[in-house]
Amino acid sequence: MIPMSDSSSLFSHLVELRSRILRALLAVLLVFLCLVYFAQDLYHYLAQPLMAVLPENGQMIATDVASPFFAPFKLTLVLSFFIAIPIVLHQVWGFIAPGLYANEKRLVAPLLLASTLLFYAGIAFAYFVVFPLAFAFFTGVAPEGVAINTDISSYLNFVLKLFFAFGVSFQIPVAILLLCWSGATTPANLRQKRPYVIVGVFIIGMLLTPPDVISQTLLALPMWLLYELGILAGGLYTGKKTTNNNNKEPE
């Protein structure tokens, strides 16, 4: 039988969790309502990297009757979530913060901010750097006599997957810092693995980008630089932690 105090505590946590989730959903909804009027314009802007490299007779098409409505609607909904991520993470932080120690709070809050900024940076990098190169390659290798008419829903699904992939891959510094914080590894160990990491990021670049050296390098180099940034951040945190431990007075 659950004690009355534990039951009340669990109920209060569930109520707060529901409140936090509702606030996060409300933030996404408010952003969506502000953007839905511009849904067609947003999709047009998203399609620019492909439209800019299509041949003279190339165009985007809708193979489903409802695609002209649902594709911009889906894009606006996903974009609303991306824009509202700071508020969503703030609600997550507000829920977990009371259960953290002071030193954990000092680490988690900056990590949430850094994770958000890096996610946005990954999306921007994909749109402004990778998309123009990738779509130019894809349209350039089309066999003679093949008309390039991309379905708007298929294009949306493709770019959203790349957005997510690049947004997640740009979380490398945060992941490294968390690994160092948990004691799973150290900056020294990560430096020793640098040659394997360099080979690994170029393999990932080969798998995620078209088979040309330029686009592969444009993905691999940022991932390598983010890895080095993560090692630097992990070294600073480890050094600060060691200094704080040495400054503690023995009991």
Side-chain angles (χ1 to χ4, degrees), residues 4-24:
M4 184 66 69
S5 58
D6 292 344
S7 178
S8 301
S9 177
L10 176 61
F11 180 76
S12 64
H13 284 308
L14 291 176
V15 171
E16 183 182 1
L17 177 61
R18 184 189 66 175
S19 176
R20 297 286 182 181
I21 293 175
L22 290 176
R23 291 175 189 173

Side-chain angles (χ1 to χ4, degrees), residues 69-135:
F69 171 77
F70 282 112
F73 182 89
K74 179 180 178 181
L75 170 63
T76 306
L77 185 60
V78 175
L79 182 61
S80 300
F81 176 75
F82 285 169
I83 294 176
I85 279 181
I87 300 177
V88 174
L89 291 179
H90 177 72
Q91 296 303 318
V92 173
W93 168 250
F95 182 73
I96 66 174
L100 299 177
Y101 294 106
N103 62 325
E104 294 174 335
K105 290 181 181 180
R106 288 194 295 268
L107 176 66
V108 174
L111 285 183
L112 289 177
L113 176 61
S115 179
T116 302
L117 295 178
L118 287 171
F119 187 80
Y120 287 153
I123 292 177
F125 182 80
Y127 182 84
F128 291 106
V129 179
V130 177
F131 286 1
L133 294 173
F135 297 147

Side-chain angles (χ1 to χ4, degrees), residues 38-59:
F38 307 99
Q40 299 292 337
D41 296 329
L42 292 173
Y43 191 93
H44 176 73
Y45 183 76
L46 182 71
Q48 282 305 302
L50 177 62
M51 298 294 294
V53 296
L54 284 177
E56 183 177 353
N57 296 325
Q59 60 182 344

